C-alpha cells in the first residue's frame, strides 16, 4: 500500500514550511495533525526558534533526512485544546515543545526522566511517531503533543525570547548540571558564541561561575562581556591569548557547529577537568589521547538536550533569573535568508520566527 501523503495522514488540516530536498530551501506545505487525544495538548504556535540543528537537518548534513521535512524544535504557543486526561495545562496557558515528542516510557532512561537518551526517543520532526506517521516541527500553525512532552512556560517570560531555551537553553543547562560544572566560583570556558553559547554564558553566570568565552569573532567581545556578563574573552586564532590562558579552566562547553581544532581547547583545561562537546559537525575531529588526555587526567564528554523534567526545571530557573535568548524576530517568509545568515555566522544570537503573525495559509 502506498504511504499516505502528509496531507492525508491525519484528520486535522495543518500548514507550515518544509524543505523538499537537500538544497534545504523551505516553502509552504499543507499537511495534517492528529485529532486531540485524551492525553494530548493542542496549541497554536506563536514563535519558533531556528537552531543550527535545523540547518544540519534540512541540508541532510548527517544523512537520514526524509523530505518533505517541517523543521522547528524550539516551539512556544498557547494551548488551544486539551484532552480529558490532561492535568498540567489548561486552555490559554503558555506552553512549549522542545526536541522530543515521544519515547518508550519503560526503559531505564525513561524511568529516570532521561527521555532524551531513550533508544526509542521520538524527535520533534523527521522521525516516525508511535502511530507510524512522520513527526513535523514548529514551522507550522499548530502543534499537538502528549502532555508528558509539553512544558509549561512561566507567565513572566516573554514568549519570543524564551522559545530558544527549549533547545539551546536545555542543551547547555543539562551538561552544566550533569558534569558538575555548576559550582559557584568554578571557571568555565564556552566555545562558540552563537545560539547555544550565548545562553550558556547567561546560565553559567546565574549559577555563579566565572566565564571565559572562546570565539572566532573578535567583534562579539563587547556583547559577551557587557550584555551576557562573561568575565573574559579569548579569540581562538590568537596564539598569544590562547597560550596565556593554558591550564586555567575547570571545564569547557564547546558549542561549535563546524569541524574545528580540539587540542588548543584541551590545553586550556586544568588537570582533572572536562571538555564537553555539544556541537554536531558532520565530520569527526581527531583527538589524540596521549599525551593530551592521559597526562592531565582530562575527560571529554558529550550531552544531548535534556529530559522533560529537567527542561521544566531549566525554564523555571530561567524565569527566576530573568534569562531569555537575545533574538532577532523574523517573518516566516524570511526563513531562507535566515538559514543563509545562520550558515555565515551572521546572527545575534538566535533567529525566532514570528509564526503567529506571519505564517499565512497556503
Ligand atoms: P550557532 O548559533 O550557529 O552557533 C555556533 C557558533 O559556533 C557560532 O556562533 C560561532 O561562534 C562558532 N563557529 C561557527 N563556525 C565555526 C568554525 N568553523 N570554527 C569555529 N567556530 C565556529 O549554532 P547553535 O544553534 O548554537 O548550535 C551549535 C551546534 O550545536 C550545532 O552543531 C548544533 O547542531 C548543535 N546542537 C547540539 C545540541 C546538543 O544537545 N548537543 C543541541 C542543539 C544544537 P563564534 O562566532 O563565537 O566563533
Ligand atoms: Zn536544537
Ligand atoms: Zn525509553
Amino acid at each position: 500500500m502506498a504511504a499516505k501523503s502528509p496531507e492525508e495522514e491525519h484528520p486535522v488540516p495543518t500548514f507550515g514550511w518544509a524543505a523538499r530536498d537537500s538544497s534545504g530551501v523551505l516553502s509552504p506545505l499543507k499537511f495534517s495533525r492528529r485529532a486531540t487525544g485524551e492525553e494530548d495538548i493542542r496549541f497554536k504556535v506563536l514563535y519558533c526558534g531556528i537552531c543550527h540543528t535545523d540547518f544540519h537537518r534540512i541540508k541532510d548534513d548527517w544523512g537520514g533526512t526524509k523530505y518533505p521535512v517541517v523543521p522547528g524544535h524550539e516551539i512556544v504557543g498557547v494551548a488551544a485544546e486539551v484532552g480529558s486526561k490532561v492535568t498540567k495545562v489548561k486552555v490559554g496557558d503558555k506552553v512549549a515543545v522542545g526536541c522530543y515528542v515521544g519515547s518508550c516510557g519503560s526503559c531505564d532512561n525513561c524511568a529516570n526522566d532521561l527521555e532524551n537518551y531513550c533508544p526509542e526517543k521520538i524527535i520533534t520532526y523527521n522521525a516516525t511517531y508511535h502511530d507510524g506517521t512522520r513527526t513535523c516541527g514548529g514551522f507550522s500553525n499548530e502543534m499537538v503533543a502528549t502532555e508528558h512532552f509539553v512544558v509549561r512556560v512561566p507567565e513572566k517570560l516573554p514568549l519570543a525570547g524564551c522559545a530558544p531555551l527549549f533547545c539551546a537553553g536545555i542543551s547547555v543547562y543539562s551538561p552544566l548540571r550533569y558534569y558538575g560544572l555548576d559550582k559557584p566560583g568554578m571557571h568555565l570556558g564556552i566555545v562558540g558564541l552563537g545560539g547555544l553559547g550565548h545562553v550558556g554564558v547567561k546560565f553559567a553566570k546565574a549559577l555563579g561561575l566565572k566565564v571565559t568565552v572562546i570565539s572566532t569573532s573578535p567583534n562579539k567581545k563587547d556583547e559577551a562581556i557587557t550584555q551576557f556578563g562573561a568575565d573574559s574573552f579569548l579569540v581562538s586564532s590568537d596564539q598569544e591569548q590562547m597560550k596565556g590562558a593554558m591550564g586555567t579552566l575547570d571545564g569547557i562547553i564547546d558549542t561549535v557547529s563546524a569541524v574545528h581544532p580540539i587540542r588548543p581547547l584541551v590545553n586550556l583545561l586544568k588537570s582533572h577537568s572536562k571538555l564537553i562537546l555539544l556541537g554536531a559537525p558532520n565530520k569527526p575531529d581527531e583527538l589524540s589521547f596521549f599525551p593530551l588526555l592521559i597526562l592531565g587526567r582530562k575527560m571529554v564528554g558529550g550531552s544531548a538536550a535534556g529530559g522533560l523534567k529537567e527542561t521544566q526545571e531549566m525554564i523555571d530557573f530561567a524565569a527566576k533569573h530573568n534569562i531569555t535568548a537575545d533574538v532577532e524576530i523574523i517573518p516566516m517568509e524570511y526563513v531562507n535568508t535566515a538559514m543563509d545568515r545562520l550558515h555565515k555566522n551572521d546572527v545575534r544570537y538566535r533567529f525566532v520566527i514570528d509564526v503567529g503573525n506571519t505564517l499565512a495559509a497556503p
Side-chain angles (χ1 to χ4, degrees):
M1 201 174 69
K4 287 184 177 169
S5 74
E7 229 180 317
E8 296 164 339
E9 277 184 325
H10 296 292
V12 183
T14 311
F15 53 90
W17 280 45
R20 259 75 178 192
D21 55 47
S22 63
S23 71
V25 173
L26 295 145
S27 56
L29 176 79
K30 286 186 193 173
F31 63 105
S32 55
R33 297 237 187 239
R34 65 177 184 261
T36 312
E38 52 186 19
E39 292 176 11
D40 284 343
I41 295 167
R42 174 176 300 279
F43 65 94
K44 179 173 166 48
V45 178
L46 294 181
Y47 295 99
C48 187
I50 303 181
C51 175
H52 210 110
T53 293
D54 297 321
F55 180 88
H56 293 304
R57 282 269 181 227
I58 60 175
K59 294 279 187 183
D60 201 17
D61 270 358
W62 304 325
T65 302
K66 292 203 180 122
Y67 299 97
V69 62
V70 179
H73 59 234
E74 294 180 339
I75 317 166
V76 294
V78 171
E81 193 183 0
V82 301
S84 57
K85 291 194 176 158
V86 169
T87 56
K88 75 177 178 195
V89 166
K90 56 185 190 321
V91 171
D93 286 352
K94 293 178 179 178
V95 292
V97 163
C99 302
Y100 308 100
V101 291
S103 68
C104 83
S106 56
C107 70
D108 285 351
N109 281 320
C110 285
N112 288 302
D113 299 307
L114 295 166
E115 301 86 350
N116 48 324
Y117 299 110
C118 170
E120 292 170 36
K121 65 184 175 292
I122 301 172
I123 55 175
T124 301
Y125 65 87
N126 196 51
T128 304
Y129 198 64
H130 299 298
D131 61 7
T133 62
R134 303 285 304 155
T135 58
C136 294
F139 292 13
S140 62
N141 66 329
E142 64 163 45
M143 185 74 200
V144 62
T146 57
E147 172 174 43
H148 185 79
F149 290 90
V150 174
V151 179
R152 288 183 313 272
V153 179
E155 234 359 90
K156 71 181 277 202
L157 285 176
L159 273 183
C162 78
L165 301 183
F166 292 95
C167 174
I170 183 63
S171 298
V172 292
Y173 181 86
S174 183
L176 289 175
R177 292 296 200 192
Y178 175 74
Y179 286 105
L181 299 172
D182 58 354
K183 314 284 178 289
M186 274 185 161
H187 191 176
L188 179 77
I190 294 193
V191 191
L193 197 66
L196 268 63
H198 91 289
V199 293
V201 177
K202 295 184 185 194
F203 278 109
K205 288 311 296 177
L207 288 163
L209 308 189
K210 182 176 169 194
V211 178
T212 294
V213 169
I214 300 128
S215 169
T216 60
S217 309
N219 59 10
K220 291 181 180 173
K221 180 175 177 178
D222 283 351
E223 284 157 9
I225 291 172
T226 53
Q227 245 169 275
F228 310 143
D231 298 278
S232 53
F233 189 94
L234 297 173
V235 178
S236 50
S237 59
D238 185 324
Q239 308 290 338
E240 283 302 301
Q241 281 186 20
M242 292 293 279
K243 222 171 142 193
M246 271 173 76
T248 60
L249 301 178
D250 295 298
I252 294 179
I253 297 279
D254 181 340
T255 73
V256 173
S257 51
V259 178
H260 61 291
I262 298 293
R263 174 181 287 264
L265 301 176
V266 178
N267 285 334
L268 295 176
L269 291 170
K270 293 178 186 168
S271 312
H272 330 297
S273 54
K274 299 161 192 163
L275 167 66
I276 310 305
L277 300 169
L278 301 182
N282 56 359
K283 291 192 208 83
D285 191 16
E286 276 179 32
L287 187 65
S288 65
F289 304 104
F290 180 79
L292 207 54
L293 299 180
I294 291 176
L295 294 189
R297 194 163 73 169
K298 294 176 185 176
M299 186 174 151
V300 177
S303 183
L308 273 295
K309 184 170 175 235
E310 194 173 40
T311 304
Q312 188 70 57
E313 177 190 311
M314 174 280 304
I315 200 69
D316 293 340
F317 181 94
K320 187 170 167 206
H321 295 274
N322 288 316
I323 295 172
T324 53
D326 282 46
V327 298
E328 178 175 340
I329 300 175
I330 58 162
M332 193 73 231
E333 304 78 61
Y334 190 77
V335 68
N336 290 306
T337 309
M339 288 291 179
D340 288 345
R341 284 183 51 197
L342 180 63
H343 183 55
K344 291 184 196 137
N345 194 12
D346 173 23
V347 51
R348 279 186 164 68
Y349 278 83
R350 195 59 135 193
F351 288 116
V352 170
I353 306 169
D354 181 354
V355 177
N357 290 310
T358 67
L359 172 63

